[in-house]
């Protein structure tokens, strides 16, 4: 800011309040003080007198001190202590005399904007004969927060293109938002967002996202929008189809070719998905019975893809109404048995160590389990690989480097270090020790958020598909997820050296899933996979206990 006109020892004068001139834009420039703050000032002046003089221009216009003048009037005092300055009664001058004022975000934002509005763009020479440098003048007024002409130009561009309520400048001044992020948004990404109706600008205006997040989401969304066709193929690894799953019956190449279906179906009355079906989508039937019937109809169509040796595993959760369970898993199970030729093999419990409530107002214990309904085409021919777990008094866990450690801390014989995704798989299988139950953490799936930072409203637990896939398929077999979402099942299938097939109705989720699969391609390590299969897949003749 420019130097103050007041000098040390400058004489304080007593002026009649009735002679003072109020300047509206100066009076209202800073946020109005609260009634409580004004009352404290009134009490202070009443008890201790006026401590600080007000600032007046030569024509008695009030530059600074409006609250003090008001408080004196409240107390019935007719005069005020003042100092006269040569400066004109402008916003610039008001800011100059308020360098150390306690200011809120709006005050700080208005100061920056007013500096640009009140700094002349004309060139020429100053009164002292020096060349007029607007950028230097602005930098001085802004206390050298921005020094270079380039940064000053960027700041002015953001001000010019900001929202009516100055969200961006406020973010820069008070929230640490960068000039580069704000300028990139105003000059480029805002148009991309609005033209494509991505919706991130609205979230920025509502304060739900920072400018950095908005820019990132717009770029990711635009990349996905303009990448990946409705059929995305990684040869010999995966095929991702942007279609309704029942459309798979129209694909002759998949007739009788699927080894295992593993999927998580939309739960009844839990959430809506961006799949274009609005309120008519699966999961929003009027009754649980109607929902179960519709699920059965879908799986009847999907049997077109199955072999005699195939398995079908369906993850489904319970729904509660007024705190009472609707018996969803059983309804789905019996509807499928009644309406298809599938046979029920077993019902696996998925135990979640970190469950979350569904948000009902009725009090009840938090449900920490979901269910995997396991069906087969032919019980005598269905493929089944036994997976070992340990029951010899040793607590097995995977440490860094995937070494086995017993409960006394003794390091057992082990192999090579595993890469991160395979280390997770190894640890997950090692932790399984209960028949007919899978223990698996639910939470943020990093592979999905790496592909798209906003993720998916109901991302499958990253490791949930591991055991079902390993128990029902061999390497090279085809695993199909009809409700693929962001392709969590497909990713795990690829890591386990199976061929992934997925269908997803939502174009947006389909594209995220394609990105997930593309990223997964870089993580495949068949040597690490061999360590896992050698450790956990056994022949029945050598098995003492198995999952």
């Amino acid at each position: 800011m420019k130097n103050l006109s007041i000098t040390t020892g400058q004489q304080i004068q007593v002026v009649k309040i009735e002679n003072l001139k109020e300047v509206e834009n100066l009076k209202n420039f800073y946020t109005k003080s609260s009634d409580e703050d004004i009352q404290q000032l009134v009490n202070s002046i009443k008890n201790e007198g006026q401590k600080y003089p007000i600032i007046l221009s030569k024509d008695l216009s009030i530059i600074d001190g409006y609250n003090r003048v008001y408080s004196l009037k409240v107390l019935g005092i007719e005069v005020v202590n003042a100092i006269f300055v040569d400066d004109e009664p402008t916003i610039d001058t008001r800011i100059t005399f308020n360098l150390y004022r306690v200011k809120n975000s709006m005050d700080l934002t208005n100061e920056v904007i007013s500096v640009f509005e009140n700094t002349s763009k004309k060139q020429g020479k100053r009164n002292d004969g020096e060349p007029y440098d607007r950028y230097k003048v602005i930098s001085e007024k802004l206390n050298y927060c921005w020094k270079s002409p380039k940064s000053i130009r960027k700041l002015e561009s953001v001000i010019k293109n900001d929202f009516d309520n100055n969200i961006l400048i406020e973010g820069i001044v008070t929230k640490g938002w960068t000039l580069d992020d704000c300028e990139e948004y105003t000059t480029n990404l805002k148009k991309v967002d609005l033209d494509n109706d991505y919706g991130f600008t609205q979230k920025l205006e509502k304060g739900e996202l920072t400018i950095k997040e908005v820019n990132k989401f717009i770029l990711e969304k635009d990349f996905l929008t303009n990448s990946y066709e409705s059929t995305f193929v990684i040869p010999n690894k995966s095929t991702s189809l942007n279609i309704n799953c029942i459309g798979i019956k129209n694909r002759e190449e998949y007739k009788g070719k699927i080894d295992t279906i593993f999927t998580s179906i939309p739960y009844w009355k839990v959430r809506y998905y961006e799949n274009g079906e609005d309120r008519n989508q699966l999961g929003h039937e009027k009754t649980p019975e109607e929902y179960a019937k519709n699920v059965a109809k879908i799986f009847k169509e999907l049997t077109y893809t199955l072999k005699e040796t195939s398995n079908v595993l369906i993850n489904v959760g319970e729904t509660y109404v007024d705190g009472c369970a609707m018996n969803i898993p059983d309804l789905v199970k019996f509807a499928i048995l009644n309406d298809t030729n599938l046979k029920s093999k077993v019902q696996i419990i998925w135990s979640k160590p970190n469950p979350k409530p569904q948000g009902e107002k009725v009090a009840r214990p938090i449900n920490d389990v979901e269910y995997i309904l396991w069906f087969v085409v032919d019980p005598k021919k269905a493929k089944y690989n036994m997976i070992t777990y340990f029951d010899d008094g040793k607590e097995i866990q995977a440490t860094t480097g995937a070494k086995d450690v017993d409960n006394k801390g003794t390091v057992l014989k082990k192999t090579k270090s595993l890469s991160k995704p395979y280390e997770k798989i190894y640890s997950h299988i090692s932790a399984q020790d209960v028949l007919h139950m899978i223990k698996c953490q639910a939470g943020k799936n990093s592979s999905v958020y790496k592909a798209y930072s906003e993720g998916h409203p109901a991302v499958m637990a990253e490791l949930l598909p591991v055991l079902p896939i390993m128990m029902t398929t061999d390497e090279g077999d085809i695993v199909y997820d009809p409700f693929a979402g962001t392709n969590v099942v497909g990713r795990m299938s690829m890591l386990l050296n199976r061929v992934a097939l997925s269908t997803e109705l939502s174009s947006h989720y389909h594209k995220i899933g394609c990105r997930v699969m593309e990223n997964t391609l870089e993580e495949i390590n068949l040597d690490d996979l061999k360590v896992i299969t050698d450790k956990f897949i056994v022949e029945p003749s050598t098995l003492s206990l198995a999952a």
Side-chain angles (χ1 to χ4, degrees), residues 228-234 238-254 258 302 304-305 478-487 490 500-514 517:
Y228 309 114
E229 300 297 329
S230 58
T231 298
F232 176 71
V233 178
I234 300 177
S238 73
T239 299
S240 303
L241 304 174
N242 180 202
I243 61 172
N244 190 316
C245 61
I246 61 175
I248 200 73
K249 67 181 180 180
N250 299 319
R251 303 290 183 114
E252 183 68 25
E253 65 270 31
Y254 296 117
I258 303 302
L302 299 184
Y304 167 89
T305 66
I478 300 177
V479 178
Y480 172 38
D481 184 354
F483 297 93
T486 52
N487 243 333
L501 172 66
S502 67
T503 50
E504 171 54 43
L505 186 56
S506 164
S507 174
H508 177 51
Y509 301 149
H510 163 74
K511 289 174 181 290
I512 298 174
C514 293
M517 301 304 274

Side-chain angles (χ1 to χ4, degrees), residues 3-39:
N3 294 328
L4 299 176
S5 299
I6 298 177
T7 59
T8 303
Q10 188 164 346
Q11 185 177 1
I12 297 176
Q13 301 183 40
V14 177
V15 181
K16 287 187 176 181
I17 292 176
E18 66 181 8
N19 293 331
L20 301 180
K21 300 177 183 177
E22 292 188 348
V23 184
E24 282 302 310
N25 65 329
L26 300 189
K27 180 180 180 180
N28 299 319
F29 182 74
Y30 289 111
T31 304
K32 184 179 179 181
S33 298
S34 67
D35 292 342
E36 182 180 353
D37 289 341
I38 292 294
Q39 188 57 51

Side-chain angles (χ1 to χ4, degrees), residues 15 25 47 83 121 147 179 200 265 302 320 337 342 392 395 418 434 453 494 517 524 533 535:
V15 181
N25 65 329
N47 296 326
I83 289 178
K121 294 183 178 181
K147 297 179 181 179
L179 264 178
F200 297 115
I265 60 177
L302 299 184
Y320 296 82
L337 290 176
L342 295 173
D392 55 2
E395 181 183 349
L418 301 179
V434 180
S453 298
M494 283 180 64
M517 301 304 274
I524 296 173
T533 54
K535 178 73 176 180

Side-chain angles (χ1 to χ4, degrees), residues 153-170:
R153 284 194 294 270
K154 283 185 178 182
L155 188 59
E156 189 163 31
S157 173
V158 173
I159 290 173
K160 180 180 178 181
N161 296 289
D162 204 350
F163 297 90
D164 291 341
N165 55 352
N166 305 314
I167 293 172
L168 301 180
I169 295 301
E170 182 180 345

Side-chain angles (χ1 to χ4, degrees), residues 371-389:
Y371 304 90
I372 297 176
L373 308 178
W374 190 340
F375 302 93
V376 294
V377 177
D378 186 334
K380 295 180 180 180
K381 297 180 180 180
K383 184 177 292 187
Y384 178 54
N385 298 319
M386 292 189 176
I387 310 296
T388 59
Y389 71 85

Side-chain angles (χ1 to χ4, degrees), residues 100-213:
Y100 304 106
R101 179 191 184 104
V102 177
K103 304 164 189 173
N104 61 25
S105 61
M106 184 180 296
D107 292 337
L108 294 168
T109 301
N110 287 338
E111 281 190 354
V112 171
I113 294 172
S114 68
V115 165
F116 282 91
E117 291 177 345
N118 295 290
T119 302
S120 174
K121 294 183 178 181
K122 68 180 180 180
Q123 301 300 313
K125 291 188 177 181
R126 304 186 312 192
N127 294 335
D128 57 8
E130 291 293 321
Y132 176 76
D133 186 337
R134 182 170 182 264
Y135 299 118
K136 184 177 180 180
V137 171
I138 290 174
S139 183
E140 289 176 353
K141 289 182 177 182
L142 295 177
N143 216 18
Y144 299 102
C145 292
W146 297 275
K147 297 179 181 179
S148 70
K150 183 178 180 180
S151 63
I152 298 296
R153 284 194 294 270
K154 283 185 178 182
L155 188 59
E156 189 163 31
S157 173
V158 173
I159 290 173
K160 180 180 178 181
N161 296 289
D162 204 350
F163 297 90
D164 291 341
N165 55 352
N166 305 314
I167 293 172
L168 301 180
I169 295 301
E170 182 180 345
I172 291 171
V173 173
T174 66
K175 300 177 183 178
W177 293 3
T178 69
L179 264 178
D180 287 343
D181 282 340
C182 292
E183 188 195 37
E184 174 68 7
Y185 171 76
T186 57
T187 60
N188 181 27
L189 296 182
K190 182 178 182 179
K191 185 176 188 303
V192 173
D193 183 57
L194 296 178
D195 287 351
N196 294 282
D197 197 25
Y198 292 154
F200 297 115
T201 293
Q202 291 92 320
K203 292 184 178 181
L204 178 65
E205 290 184 278
K206 292 178 181 177
E208 296 175 4
L209 297 173
T210 66
I211 190 63
K212 191 176 187 67
E213 290 171 331

